[in-house]
Amino acid sequence: MRRGELLRALRAAGPAGVSGEVLAAEFGVSRAAVAKHVRALREMGYGIDAVAGTGYRLDRAPDLPLPEEVAHLVRNPFWVRYEGGLETASTNDDAKLLARAGAPEGTVVLAARQTAGRGRLGRVWDSPSGGAYLSAVFRPNLSPADLAPLPLVVALGVARGLERVLARAAHPGPSQEPAAAAPDATVAVKWPNDVWFADRDGAPVGKVAGVLLEMQAESDMTEWVVAGVGVNVRAGSRGFAGAAYVTDHVPNAHAAGVAAAVLDGIAATYAAWTIAGFDGLVDEYDRIALLRDRWVNVRDADGALRVSGVASGIDGDGRLLVDSGGRTVVVSAGDVTLREDV
Ligand code: BT5
């Protein structure tokens, strides 16, 4: 018996509740084992009443991006296995272990906070409670050389997910009249793989999500890719300077719902890429590109200024095009800042 199965049974029982005896029989475990799982769920923030004569009743689920909360909100069947829990060092490390042990494509590790969240190039990803942290296992049937656009594909998927969260806030559906005002933010991708909120005029507001890809390849075969995504959902007591938060624009957004929307978005862009290549996504990426037509500085990993100029778009391999002094510089890796940031 797994925690998720117990939760499903409690949800199915509804307000009537279900006895420990029935649960034990259903899952073929002892009543003590059921009680142990109930205790573990309570520790994770689930409100589970024990009612004399009735049994257990699920009263309240925590607003956390736990596997048990996210899995039943995800629509895309690409995701086949959900792992994780309240806290871990880094979901990327957990997903890499699972990938090495043979976990299938579509495995995802979730956490509500991380103690050692990582960004690119060894940077820190601030991962307090209030965020959604997830890492996905992919097994693309491609050589490592063909994976260059994948970070952009994942970022675009995250952006699609967040667009859906914003759109749902604006059109909450018939049960929640009147419709809320249109959100005061739009979603933008910052090359290569950051996701930002921008205002309605496209001016940058802050970084709402980051993507970290790690992979294992042997000669020209990719074994696995782990794509880690951190999303700032709600600002905690120690918000990160320069960060944007989903609840700044969608006050009632739930971390689990945000994680599910992001997973659906990633599954969709990943499928589009594996079927038709990056060409089919370039226009969408370009349309919501934060840097487009702006002055940018591109720096190498060691901080040296590589090129300064106007970002004019991306090419079919996901490389950034920068117009500088009358020529177009093609950038395949680097850190980009908007000129006014510097
Ligand atoms: C990224 O790196 O943006 C990739 C972040 C990936 C995090 C996910 S969480 C799940 C999985 N498990 C992990 O351990 N990692 C992945 P990069 O482009 O290098 O940006 C890092 C920079 O963003 C830092 O140097 C800070 O300036 C800034 N930053 C750190 N935490 C932030 C936050 N919560 N919100 C906004 N910006 C942040």
Side-chain angles (χ1 to χ4, degrees):
M1 176 201 207
R2 291 166 57 93
R3 272 194 325 251
E5 292 172 331
L6 173 59
L7 263 180
R8 261 196 300 282
L10 289 171
R11 285 204 161 100
V18 54
S19 74
E21 206 172 332
V22 168
L23 289 169
E26 184 175 339
F27 295 112
V29 298
S30 67
R31 285 173 63 179
V34 172
K36 196 182 95 199
H37 282 293
V38 167
R39 264 200 310 280
L41 286 170
R42 283 184 179 139
E43 273 162 25
M44 294 167 81
Y46 287 89
I48 300 174
D49 289 344
V51 188
T54 307
Y56 297 113
R57 190 176 59 199
L58 181 64
D59 223 29
R60 160 178 53 79
D63 172 22
L64 293 171
L66 300 169
E68 293 80 359
E69 293 307 300
V70 175
H72 72 104
L73 298 175
V74 171
R75 298 182 200 160
N76 199 304
F78 175 81
W79 304 106
V80 294
R81 180 172 162 191
Y82 296 85
E83 299 288 342
L86 259 188
E87 178 181 294
T88 189
S90 158
T91 55
N92 258 41
D93 293 346
D94 300 341
K96 280 158 67 179
L97 281 178
L98 289 171
R100 283 198 191 101
E105 173 161 277
T107 297
V108 59
V109 180
L110 292 142
R113 52 179 190 261
Q114 296 182 122
T115 53
R118 284 183 284 118
R120 295 176 301 145
L121 303 167
R123 290 185 285 239
V124 168
W125 183 256
D126 196 37
S127 311
S129 305
Y133 310 100
L134 60 92
S135 296
V137 177
F138 298 107
R139 297 188 183 275
N141 203 2
L142 293 168
S143 77
D146 295 328
L147 298 182
L150 186 51
L152 285 75
V153 171
V154 175
L156 193 58
V158 175
R160 276 195 195 175
L162 293 177
E163 278 172 348
R164 205 172 90 201
V165 172
L166 290 183
R168 267 205 226 115
H171 307 285
S175 60
Q176 292 171 304
E177 299 294 343
D184 55 359
T186 57
V187 182
V189 280
K190 176 170 177 274
W191 188 90
N193 48 358
D194 287 354
V195 183
W196 280 54
F197 279 143
D199 68 17
R200 286 205 198 117
D201 300 323
V205 171
K207 180 167 170 176
V208 62
V211 176
L212 171 67
L213 256 69
E214 297 181 275
M215 66 165 90
Q216 172 85 46
E218 220 162 85
S219 63
D220 60 352
M221 252 329 278
T222 307
E223 282 181 28
W224 49 259
V225 178
V226 163
V229 180
V231 187
N232 301 322
V233 180
R234 172 176 300 108
S237 49
R238 49 178 193 101
F240 189 83
Y245 296 85
V246 176
T247 54
D248 289 348
H249 308 284
V250 184
N252 60 355
H254 289 290
V258 170
V262 161
L263 285 171
D264 278 334
I266 296 171
T269 54
Y270 181 72
W273 174 63
T274 49
I275 293 165
F278 190 60
D279 279 351
L281 296 171
V282 168
D283 286 352
E284 184 184 349
Y285 190 97
D286 244 352
R287 197 172 55 245
I288 61 166
L290 187 76
L291 304 176
R292 200 184 159 81
D293 300 331
R294 291 181 195 274
W295 266 98
V296 295
N297 287 326
V298 183
R299 292 176 193 282
D300 290 334
D302 60 7
L305 185 64
R306 160 109 192 275
V307 55
S308 208
V310 175
S312 57
I314 53 168
D315 69 11
D317 292 322
R319 295 178 300 186
L320 182 68
L321 305 174
V322 180
D323 290 342
S324 176
R327 68 200 173 96
T328 300
V329 180
V330 180
V331 181
S332 51
D335 272 316
V336 185
T337 46
L338 290 165
R339 258 275 276 262
E340 50 266 33
D341 296 349
V342 182

